[in-house]
Amino acid sequence: MAIGPVQLIVLGFNHPDFHGEVIAELERLHASGTVRVIDSLAVYKDAAGELEVEHLSTLTEQEAIELGTKIGALIGLGIDGEAGMEAGAAAGAQEAAEEGVSVFTEQEGWDALEDIPNDSAAALILIEHHWAVPLRDAIVRAGGFRISDGFISPLDLVEIGLMSAEDARELHDLETAAAAK
C-alpha cells in the first residue's frame, strides 16, 4: 500500500505557540521515520466563533506541493474560501467514485471545528504513521481489518493496573488543564 495509517489529531490551545516545541517534536518524529505530517493547520476561533486559519508545516516545499491542503478537504474547511472548499470536495468525490470509496455517513462524521471552544485555537495535524505500515500490512495479509481505534485516558489505565491513581490524575490534569480554563 502506498500510504501508512493516517490519523487526524485536533489539539486545543488557550495561548498557542505553534512554532515552538510542538513543531520541533513533529520535525524530530519526521526525521526519525516514525511519522510524516501530511498537513497541519492552526485554527483560531474568536469569542463569536469566527475562524481564522493558517498553515503549519514541517513539510518540504515539494511535499507541500504534492499533498496540498488535505485537512481542509477532509473536514470541509474552505482554506481558499468557497472555491477552495468546492474544489476539495469535488476532488474527493471524484476519487471516491473512481475508487469505490465509502465516506462518512452523517452519524459517523466528526465536526472537528465545532469541538474547538470559542476564544481559543487548535492545531489540526494529519499524520501518517510510518511505524505502523509493517504491522498494518501483516494484519491485512492475515485477513484482518480495523474495527475501531482511539486514545485511552490515563484515568482508565488505573483500573487495569498500568498506572497508579496519583500518576494517572497528574497526567490527566496535565493533558486537560488548559481546557478547564
Side-chain angles (χ1 to χ4, degrees):
M1 298 195 173
I3 192 166
V6 175
Q7 178 181 27
L8 176 63
I9 301 172
V10 181
L11 306 168
F13 295 87
N14 285 325
H15 305 287
D17 179 12
F18 294 120
H19 301 287
E21 279 187 83
V22 175
I23 296 296
E25 183 59 18
L26 288 170
E27 288 172 347
R28 187 192 68 76
L29 289 169
H30 179 79
S32 73
T34 305
V35 300
R36 174 175 68 145
V37 176
I38 295 172
D39 193 13
S40 55
L41 299 176
V43 178
Y44 301 90
K45 193 182 260 190
D46 68 18
E50 294 296 317
L51 300 176
E52 181 180 325
V53 179
E54 74 178 63
H55 288 274
L56 300 173
S57 189
T58 60
L59 300 178
T60 66
E61 183 178 346
Q62 184 58 39
E63 288 171 326
I65 291 168
E66 172 192 337
L67 295 168
T69 303
K70 301 302 184 191
I71 292 176
L74 186 66
I75 66 170
L77 177 63
I79 302 296
D80 295 321
E82 272 315 298
M85 184 168 55
E86 289 173 12
Q94 180 178 350
E95 183 74 17
E98 291 172 2
E99 300 295 325
V101 175
S102 61
V103 295
F104 292 126
T105 65
E106 186 73 24
Q107 293 77 28
E108 295 170 326
W110 169 31
D111 190 345
L113 298 175
E114 182 66 29
D115 290 344
I116 302 168
N118 287 357
D119 203 24
S120 72
L124 283 72
I125 307 168
L126 192 62
I127 295 177
E128 176 187 9
H129 292 278
H130 283 290
W131 65 268
V133 171
L135 175 61
R136 187 259 334 261
D137 291 350
I139 291 167
V140 169
R141 287 190 299 273
F145 52 92
R146 182 179 64 84
I147 293 175
S148 184
D149 57 66
F151 286 106
I152 307 299
S153 166
L155 300 175
D156 295 327
L157 299 177
V158 174
E159 296 294 322
I160 60 172
L162 284 178
M163 294 189 85
S164 71
E166 182 180 327
D167 289 344
R169 173 56 56 197
E170 186 177 310
L171 186 55
H172 174 76
D173 290 348
L174 180 68
E175 290 178 351
T176 60
K181 292 180 183 180

